[in-house]
Amino acid sequence: MVARVITELVIANRILAHEDVVDAYGHVSMRHPEHPDRFFLSISKAPQQVGKKDILQFDLEGNPLSKEKRPLYLERFIHGAIYEARPDVMAVVHAHAEATLPFGITDAPLRPVIHSGAFIGAEVPVWDIAAKFGERTNLLVTNMAQGRDLAATLGKNAVALMRGHGFAAAARSLIDVVRLSVYLPRNARVQMAAQQLGAVKPLSRGEIEARTSGYKPQSPETQRAWRYWAERAGCASLLRELD
Amino acid sequence: MVARVITELVIANRILAHEDVVDAYGHVSMRHPEHPDRFFLSISKAPQQVGKKDILQFDLEGNPLSKEKRPLYLERFIHGAIYEARPDVMAVVHAHAEATLPFGITDAPLRPVIHSGAFIGAEVPVWDIAAKFGERTNLLVTNMAQGRDLAATLGKNAVALMRGHGFAAAARSLIDVVRLSVYLPRNARVQMAAQQLGAVKPLSRGEIEARTSGYKPQSPETQRAWRYWAERAGCASLLRELD
Amino acid sequence: MVARVITELVIANRILAHEDVVDAYGHVSMRHPEHPDRFFLSISKAPQQVGKKDILQFDLEGNPLSKEKRPLYLERFIHGAIYEARPDVMAVVHAHAEATLPFGITDAPLRPVIHSGAFIGAEVPVWDIAAKFGERTNLLVTNMAQGRDLAATLGKNAVALMRGHGFAAAARSLIDVVRLSVYLPRNARVQMAAQQLGAVKPLSRGEIEARTSGYKPQSPETQRAWRYWAERAGCASLLRELD
Amino acid sequence: MVARVITELVIANRILAHEDVVDAYGHVSMRHPEHPDRFFLSISKAPQQVGKKDILQFDLEGNPLSKEKRPLYLERFIHGAIYEARPDVMAVVHAHAEATLPFGITDAPLRPVIHSGAFIGAEVPVWDIAAKFGERTNLLVTNMAQGRDLAATLGKNAVALMRGHGFAAAARSLIDVVRLSVYLPRNARVQMAAQQLGAVKPLSRGEIEARTSGYKPQSPETQRAWRYWAERAGCASLLRELD
């Protein structure tokens, strides 16, 4: 079980790098399927370079469960705080995908406008670290207080934008959160372009609900994307380990 | 004959993937040249990964002609309904190319503005699934009623945009529909950029007709593009099978 | 001498393809250095695939000097007509680079705004085939009358945009015209973006003249770019043939 | 020591090329760690092709310390003049990254709007060569007088835009200046997109100071990016030489 989770998490890291959601920065985690008070996350590495031996277990306050000398992600508290606040969430991504950033520094709300963007949900709140932590932070989420404040803004939503920084996405499975993170920037680009053309018609609440409620991580449609992205990212042999 | 069609359809799948018209999603079909009440389409696979053994025959209601356990594209009804309504159409593409999406969610009409975009035709209607099927669909075309409604909006045109979703393109040959689908997003990008610069001069009706009527799938100019795209997509050996 | 010209022209074809100036379409030619009433141009091939045996000699009316069964570029008259009108011109590119197209279908004038764009010159006229040949052409330049009309619009300039189609660029050497064609779309993208930010300050006439008059195809700076582009395009061994 | 600096500088050249900050043009230098009146810079080569033997030592007036027949960068005076004016600066980049150019030809000020852009500093002045050297230069910085004028505009800032040309960036380490140069165009793209959406909230002065003062070139976070970029650029073996 743990070996499987770790392999899947390595694949997720590489997909997010290959699909340009993360670069040297950004990370993806998974809650432990048997110990909900733990999560899996890499040590401080560029996602494209993460291997199985880099994946550690953390408690929900961001402490590694085993002694570890290698450096850790400074922002692992994003993950712990969201798992703490959201028992339904099984996987989290934090990233700085370029197309999401303009919506974090303006008042224009990001909304799902294409069917593949439906999973971002009807509301995408923007968290401004300065609101609670003042105008002199380095914008990073480096402790649990900041992580919990972000999680509070996230609320029941799937995504929170982080002003001047990036986004945090939460979902009930690893495949969900990867898919969400890949299509989030595309939705953002389409919305930005459409707003230059005229008034934009977003998805209706009913459409968002119909897509979200009907979505299954193990459906052939979802597996098709996962396998396609994984193979493009050079993970064909890792996929075979899971078959 | 059938072997040739299948090889060509594999090449078309790979071209559309390599030219960024489709990603994990989107599909291309071809009407059976001898049985107009059938069409060829892959099982549920990312187009880049489609091989000869993945291509099945379907009747125009989207039923596979042979027993098949592998999952099928949920939206195969797009193809069947267009073939049913349009005896002149020999090939269909459904895709979500990013640059086409803004025109589906605003009132700005997509128009041919460059000569390579002429084949999209003078009018590009927008189909909104909600108009007939309400505000609670998942936006996918998952039955013949929806497919027929889309085909009715398409009418005699070459392309219909699908609000919040993508487009369907229809042409009298596989090469036509691939070429159309490759240049459609480019035309959309050029139009979007031009609209930021000022009033846009689209192609005239006479120019659209001159290009469309003079176009031959077997002309050296068209074959040049087909072979170029196919080789870029890694299909050099498949091309040789057809020579 | 002829062998050298042909090798250089193959390299130029591959550079233009790799730098995304041409795709399946577009072409580059060179005037014969000893017979100014001839020029070298490929048969009808995607530039990325052009080899030495594809390069033919043409007279200035676009007729191949030797019998040739392979198909020819439909628009070779662009080249002939420009060489005929401009004795100073030694090389011509015709292409459809995407970023140049918006300026051909709006009234916004394309102007040099960055130093690498200076070579497009202070004025970039727009040629509209419909002005003389009516609203029912297929937009292609398929005879000498059309080519001569384009050359007349080009006048003494380096580049003419072609409405709804692309551009023609002319220069006194092959390296010049390649460099011009690579930086023309970049200049266009920068100008488009800048116009969204506010009033744009183009290069002054004095700056354009200073750059153009000081430019030498054999200077280390120009050779640096040529070799860099050629190696990126897979032409390292062709470069060595010329050393 | 010198061998190490040279290897690092080769890596920096390749990173900047791979991350699309430079193309055939643009350069990166490093001050000599033991002789502050010297700096290391390549001969005139495209950065992607720079090797160890191409790195020379120059005095602060741009003269090579050893006899050299190979051509030199015309604009090496940018580097010398900045090192002369700024004893705190240990590394300099000059480049033409496309996304920075629109801010040099309009009155829209470039400002840090994302946390990775904080290192560009609160103010990014624009240097116009015409202000002091008139309207007839070729825009290049080809002597010390021009370099010193640019350095005066740069002042205590990290980046100066150069009107119609590019930018110069200065930092206290090579890793700093590379990181700054990679994220500068990203910050510019985000700001441009955001300005189309509405009023933009830049980073606060406190946030800029918090990030800049807390930043260490040898921190795991910075090394993570350096190694990631270096490996992507094909420098894995050069990295190993430094370990």
Side-chain angles (χ1 to χ4, degrees):
Chain A
M1 170 64 89
V2 164
R4 187 173 182 86
V5 165
I6 287 172
T7 301
E8 289 176 341
L9 199 50
V10 170
I11 294 173
N13 270 278
R14 304 232 183 121
I15 288 175
L16 293 172
H18 192 266
E19 299 296 325
D20 214 20
V21 178
V22 297
D23 56 0
Y25 301 102
H27 15 87
V28 52
S29 70
M30 216 176 138
R31 193 196 290 268
H32 196 300
E34 292 168 345
H35 301 281
D37 55 344
R38 300 184 197 166
F39 66 93
F40 293 92
L41 180 72
S42 171
I43 59 162
S44 175
K45 270 213 170 173
Q48 198 273 324
Q49 302 180 325
V50 166
K52 293 180 188 177
K53 293 186 178 168
D54 301 317
I55 308 284
L56 306 183
Q57 295 190 33
F58 295 84
D59 69 25
L60 297 194
E61 302 221 328
N63 303 303
L65 295 196
S66 53
K67 277 206 176 172
E68 181 59 50
K69 289 186 189 167
R70 294 173 295 175
L72 306 177
Y73 289 134
L74 295 181
E75 297 195 289
R76 58 194 182 277
F77 309 101
I78 294 172
H79 301 263
I82 292 175
Y83 291 123
E84 182 186 79
R86 290 277 299 273
D88 59 312
V89 164
M90 293 302 288
V92 170
V93 164
H94 167 59
H96 317 126
E98 188 172 309
T100 66
L101 298 171
F103 290 96
I105 57 175
T106 58
D107 288 334
L110 180 63
R111 291 290 173 261
V113 297
I114 52 174
H115 78 313
S116 55
F119 305 102
I120 71 175
E123 306 289 335
V124 181
V126 178
W127 179 68
D128 187 344
I129 193 172
K132 185 155 177 184
F133 300 95
E135 295 267 327
R136 295 197 54 81
T137 73
N138 66 0
L139 288 109
L140 301 181
V141 176
T142 56
N143 58 50
M144 281 304 286
Q146 291 172 338
R148 285 173 180 141
D149 194 51
L150 167 59
T153 297
L154 176 65
K156 289 292 176 197
N157 299 292
V159 182
L161 299 180
M162 302 159 75
R163 192 264 306 163
H165 180 174
F167 72 87
R172 65 195 159 152
S173 80
L174 186 66
I175 291 184
D176 284 62
V177 86
V178 166
R179 181 173 165 149
L180 169 54
S181 300
V182 169
Y183 283 120
L184 172 65
R186 166 178 279 220
N187 188 94
R189 286 192 299 270
V190 171
Q191 184 181 344
M192 281 191 283
Q195 290 191 196
Q196 306 310 307
L197 291 178
V200 176
K201 177 183 270 195
L203 300 193
S204 71
R205 289 217 166 233
E207 287 164 344
I208 297 166
E209 283 164 25
R211 277 193 73 77
T212 311
S213 65
Y215 175 72
K216 292 188 186 70
Q218 295 307 321
S219 74
E221 292 70 41
T222 306
Q223 290 292 317
R224 189 203 316 173
W226 173 259
R227 296 187 76 88
Y228 173 64
W229 289 327
E231 292 190 15
R232 276 159 58 93
C235 296
S237 67
L238 288 175
L239 277 181
R240 279 192 294 273
E241 292 179 24
L242 297 176
D243 283 344
Chain B
M1 169 64 88
V2 164
R4 188 175 183 85
V5 165
I6 287 174
T7 302
E8 289 176 341
L9 199 50
V10 170
I11 294 173
N13 270 278
R14 303 230 183 122
I15 289 175
L16 293 172
H18 192 267
E19 300 296 324
D20 215 19
V21 178
V22 297
D23 57 0
Y25 301 102
H27 16 88
V28 51
S29 70
M30 215 175 139
R31 193 195 290 267
H32 196 300
E34 293 167 346
H35 301 280
D37 56 344
R38 302 184 196 165
F39 65 93
F40 293 92
L41 179 72
S42 171
I43 59 160
S44 175
K45 271 213 169 174
Q48 198 274 322
Q49 303 180 324
V50 166
K52 293 181 189 178
K53 294 187 178 169
D54 300 318
I55 308 284
L56 306 183
Q57 295 191 34
F58 294 85
D59 69 25
L60 297 194
E61 302 221 329
N63 304 303
L65 294 196
S66 53
K67 277 208 176 173
E68 180 60 49
K69 290 187 189 167
R70 294 173 294 175
L72 306 178
Y73 289 134
L74 295 182
E75 298 195 288
R76 58 196 183 276
F77 309 100
I78 294 172
H79 302 264
I82 292 175
Y83 291 122
E84 182 186 78
R86 290 276 299 273
D88 59 312
V89 164
M90 292 302 288
V92 170
V93 165
H94 167 59
H96 316 126
E98 188 172 310
T100 65
L101 298 171
F103 290 96
I105 58 175
T106 59
D107 287 334
L110 180 64
R111 290 292 174 261
V113 297
I114 52 175
H115 78 314
S116 54
F119 305 103
I120 70 175
E123 306 288 337
V124 180
V126 178
W127 179 69
D128 187 345
I129 193 172
K132 184 155 178 185
F133 299 95
E135 295 267 329
R136 295 196 54 82
T137 73
N138 66 0
L139 288 110
L140 301 181
V141 176
T142 55
N143 58 50
M144 282 303 287
Q146 292 171 337
R148 285 172 180 142
D149 193 51
L150 167 59
T153 296
L154 176 64
K156 289 293 175 196
N157 299 293
V159 183
L161 299 180
M162 302 159 76
R163 192 265 306 163
H165 180 172
F167 72 87
R172 65 194 158 154
S173 80
L174 186 65
I175 292 184
D176 284 62
V177 86
V178 166
R179 181 174 166 150
L180 168 55
S181 300
V182 170
Y183 284 119
L184 172 65
R186 166 177 279 218
N187 188 92
R189 285 192 299 270
V190 171
Q191 185 181 343
M192 282 191 282
Q195 290 190 197
Q196 306 309 308
L197 291 177
V200 175
K201 177 182 273 196
L203 300 193
S204 70
R205 289 216 166 234
E207 287 164 345
I208 297 166
E209 282 163 26
R211 277 193 74 77
T212 310
S213 65
Y215 175 72
K216 292 188 187 69
Q218 296 307 321
S219 74
E221 293 70 41
T222 306
Q223 290 292 319
R224 189 204 316 172
W226 173 259
R227 296 187 75 87
Y228 174 63
W229 289 326
E231 292 189 16
R232 277 159 58 92
C235 296
S237 68
L238 288 175
L239 277 182
R240 278 192 295 274
E241 292 178 26
L242 298 176
D243 283 345
Chain C
M1 169 63 88
V2 164
R4 187 174 183 86
V5 165
I6 287 173
T7 301
E8 288 176 341
L9 199 50
V10 170
I11 294 173
N13 270 278
R14 304 233 182 122
I15 288 176
L16 293 172
H18 192 266
E19 300 296 325
D20 214 18
V21 178
V22 296
D23 56 1
Y25 302 101
H27 15 87
V28 51
S29 70
M30 215 175 139
R31 192 196 290 268
H32 195 300
E34 293 167 346
H35 301 280
D37 55 344
R38 301 184 196 166
F39 66 94
F40 293 91
L41 179 72
S42 171
I43 58 159
S44 174
K45 270 214 169 174
Q48 199 273 323
Q49 302 181 325
V50 165
K52 293 179 189 178
K53 294 186 179 169
D54 301 317
I55 307 284
L56 307 182
Q57 295 191 33
F58 294 85
D59 68 27
L60 297 194
E61 302 221 328
N63 304 304
L65 295 195
S66 52
K67 278 207 176 175
E68 180 60 49
K69 291 187 189 167
R70 295 173 295 176
L72 306 177
Y73 289 134
L74 295 181
E75 298 195 288
R76 58 195 183 275
F77 309 100
I78 294 172
H79 301 264
I82 293 176
Y83 290 123
E84 180 186 81
R86 289 277 300 273
D88 60 312
V89 164
M90 293 302 288
V92 170
V93 164
H94 167 60
H96 317 126
E98 186 172 311
T100 65
L101 298 172
F103 290 96
I105 57 175
T106 59
D107 287 334
L110 180 64
R111 290 291 173 261
V113 297
I114 52 175
H115 78 315
S116 54
F119 305 103
I120 71 175
E123 307 288 336
V124 180
V126 178
W127 179 69
D128 187 344
I129 194 172
K132 185 155 178 185
F133 300 95
E135 295 267 328
R136 294 197 55 81
T137 74
N138 66 0
L139 287 110
L140 302 180
V141 176
T142 55
N143 58 50
M144 282 303 286
Q146 292 172 337
R148 284 172 181 141
D149 193 51
L150 167 60
T153 297
L154 176 65
K156 289 292 176 198
N157 298 292
V159 182
L161 299 180
M162 301 158 77
R163 192 263 308 163
H165 180 172
F167 70 88
R172 65 196 158 152
S173 79
L174 185 66
I175 292 185
D176 284 62
V177 86
V178 167
R179 180 174 168 150
L180 168 54
S181 300
V182 170
Y183 283 120
L184 171 65
R186 166 177 279 220
N187 188 93
R189 286 191 299 270
V190 171
Q191 184 181 344
M192 281 191 283
Q195 290 189 199
Q196 306 309 308
L197 291 177
V200 176
K201 177 183 272 194
L203 301 192
S204 70
R205 289 216 167 234
E207 288 164 345
I208 296 166
E209 283 164 25
R211 277 194 72 78
T212 310
S213 65
Y215 175 72
K216 292 187 187 70
Q218 295 307 321
S219 74
E221 293 69 41
T222 306
Q223 289 292 318
R224 190 205 313 172
W226 173 259
R227 295 188 75 86
Y228 173 63
W229 289 325
E231 292 190 15
R232 278 159 57 92
C235 296
S237 67
L238 288 175
L239 277 181
R240 277 193 296 273
E241 291 178 25
L242 298 175
D243 284 344
Chain D
M1 169 64 87
V2 164
R4 187 174 183 86
V5 165
I6 287 173
T7 301
E8 289 175 341
L9 199 49
V10 170
I11 294 173
N13 270 278
R14 304 230 183 124
I15 289 175
L16 292 171
H18 191 266
E19 300 296 325
D20 214 19
V21 177
V22 297
D23 56 2
Y25 301 101
H27 16 86
V28 52
S29 70
M30 215 176 139
R31 193 195 289 269
H32 195 299
E34 293 168 345
H35 301 280
D37 56 343
R38 299 184 197 166
F39 65 94
F40 294 91
L41 180 71
S42 171
I43 58 161
S44 175
K45 270 214 169 173
Q48 198 274 324
Q49 302 181 324
V50 166
K52 293 179 187 177
K53 293 186 178 168
D54 300 317
I55 308 284
L56 306 182
Q57 295 191 33
F58 293 85
D59 68 27
L60 298 194
E61 303 222 326
N63 304 304
L65 295 196
S66 52
K67 278 206 176 174
E68 180 59 50
K69 290 187 190 168
R70 294 173 295 176
L72 306 177
Y73 288 134
L74 295 181
E75 298 195 289
R76 59 196 183 276
F77 309 100
I78 294 172
H79 301 264
I82 292 175
Y83 291 123
E84 182 185 79
R86 290 276 300 273
D88 60 311
V89 164
M90 293 302 288
V92 170
V93 164
H94 166 59
H96 317 125
E98 187 173 310
T100 66
L101 298 171
F103 290 96
I105 57 175
T106 59
D107 287 333
L110 180 64
R111 290 291 174 260
V113 297
I114 52 174
H115 78 313
S116 55
F119 306 103
I120 71 174
E123 306 288 336
V124 180
V126 178
W127 179 68
D128 187 344
I129 194 172
K132 186 155 176 184
F133 300 95
E135 295 267 328
R136 295 197 54 82
T137 74
N138 65 1
L139 289 110
L140 301 181
V141 176
T142 55
N143 58 51
M144 281 304 285
Q146 292 171 337
R148 284 172 180 141
D149 193 51
L150 167 59
T153 297
L154 177 64
K156 289 293 175 196
N157 299 293
V159 182
L161 299 180
M162 301 159 75
R163 191 265 306 164
H165 180 172
F167 72 87
R172 64 197 159 150
S173 79
L174 185 66
I175 292 184
D176 284 62
V177 86
V178 167
R179 180 174 167 149
L180 169 53
S181 300
V182 170
Y183 283 120
L184 172 64
R186 167 179 279 221
N187 187 94
R189 285 192 300 269
V190 171
Q191 183 180 343
M192 281 191 284
Q195 289 190 198
Q196 306 309 309
L197 291 177
V200 175
K201 178 183 270 195
L203 301 193
S204 70
R205 290 219 166 232
E207 287 164 344
I208 297 166
E209 283 164 25
R211 278 193 73 78
T212 311
S213 66
Y215 174 72
K216 291 186 187 72
Q218 295 307 322
S219 74
E221 292 71 40
T222 306
Q223 290 292 319
R224 189 205 314 172
W226 174 259
R227 296 187 75 86
Y228 174 63
W229 288 326
E231 292 188 16
R232 277 158 58 92
C235 296
S237 67
L238 288 175
L239 278 182
R240 278 192 294 273
E241 292 178 24
L242 298 176
D243 283 344

